[in-house]
């Protein structure tokens, strides 16, 4: 069964716009879990413009599902992950000033860098996932780092879906097959929505986890958080 991990960064963005603690990040995370989410994802950035490092620390003891921390592995991020010890860490190649992730790792060029980080987290019992595109060579080098999983960067799929769904999903199906052949688990995320999620899941039913934030939080403004989470879970049946 593919798990739904809700990225709550956008909720933190709303809170930070006015200061204070409304909406309450911890309560939102609890609610997501009680409404059926199998995981909570956060992506703390150095400028703390949405999720803050203190949020990450506060979330760990209250969560009952899987905790996934995404981010670029600079020293402060590595120290945070080692301190919190989430279920999973997802390594993304974001520059500090990026608005959002927009590419996967060049795992060949960054092989030693990623291998060392994966090894450190693995020793602490933290599952690792590397954010990646669909290039077969990049997937094969990711496998060589010792990572447990890769997360397929699905923005290209989402962008092309409306024009030709079959053509849009084809490279992701092939990438997922290569990942599985190399012994890797497969996660997916970025711009997945109620429009396109069921289709990619039908074609790659062995996806371990989808991490969804922006679209899910936007949909919850119309449907409510509880019903929205159920709608996304229905796409994964």
């Amino acid at each position: 069964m593919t798990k739904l991990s809700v990225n709550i960064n956008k909720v933190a963005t709303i809170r930070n716009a006015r200061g204070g603690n409304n909406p309450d990040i911890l309560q939102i995370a609890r609610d997501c879990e009680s409404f059926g989410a199998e995981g909570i994802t956060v992506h703390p950035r150095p400028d703390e413009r949405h999720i803050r490092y203190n949020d990450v620390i506060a979330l760990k003891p209250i969560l009952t599902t899987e905790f996934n921390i995404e981010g670029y592995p600079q020293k402060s991020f590595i120290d945070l992950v080692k301190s919190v010890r989430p279920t999973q860490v997802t390594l993304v190649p974001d520059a500090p000033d990026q608005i959002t992730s927009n590419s996967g790792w060049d795992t060949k060029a960054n092989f030693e860098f990623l291998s060392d980080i994966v090894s450190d987290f693995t020793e602490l019992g933290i599952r690792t996932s590397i954010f990646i595109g669909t290039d077969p060579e990049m997937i094969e080098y990711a496998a060589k780092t010792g990572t447990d999983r890769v997360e397929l960067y699905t923005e290209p799929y989402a962008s092309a879906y409306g024009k030709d769904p079959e053509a849009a999903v084809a490279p992701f199906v092939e990438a997922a097959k290569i990942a599985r052949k190399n012994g890797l688990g497969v996660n997916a995320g970025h711009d997945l929505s109620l429009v396109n999620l069921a289709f990619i899941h039908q074609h790659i039913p062995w996806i371990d986890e989808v991490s969804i934030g922006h679209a899910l939080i936007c949909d919850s403004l119309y449907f409510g958080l509880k019903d929205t989470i159920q709608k996304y879970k229905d796409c994964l049946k």
Side-chain angles (χ1 to χ4, degrees), residues 112-140:
E112 291 186 9
F113 175 64
L114 291 170
S115 295
D116 289 345
I117 293 166
V118 166
S119 177
D120 286 348
F121 288 145
T122 299
E123 287 183 6
L124 295 175
I126 303 169
R127 186 173 69 226
T128 57
S129 179
I130 294 178
F131 197 66
I132 200 165
T134 57
D135 184 328
E137 186 177 33
M138 296 300 105
I139 298 169
E140 290 165 359

Side-chain angles (χ1 to χ4, degrees), residues 94-172:
D94 288 359
D97 59 349
Q98 277 183 234
I99 294 176
T100 187
S101 305
N102 63 6
S103 65
W105 282 97
D106 182 335
T107 52
K108 185 176 182 179
N110 294 280
F111 177 72
E112 291 186 9
F113 175 64
L114 291 170
S115 295
D116 289 345
I117 293 166
V118 166
S119 177
D120 286 348
F121 288 145
T122 299
E123 287 183 6
L124 295 175
I126 303 169
R127 186 173 69 226
T128 57
S129 179
I130 294 178
F131 197 66
I132 200 165
T134 57
D135 184 328
E137 186 177 33
M138 296 300 105
I139 298 169
E140 290 165 359
Y141 269 88
K144 293 176 183 178
T145 68
T147 190
D148 300 292
R149 297 183 183 180
V150 290
E151 179 174 330
L152 298 177
Y153 168 54
T154 49
E155 189 276 337
Y157 160 73
S159 295
Y161 175 83
K163 184 177 180 180
D164 188 341
E166 291 290 347
V169 81
F172 290 88

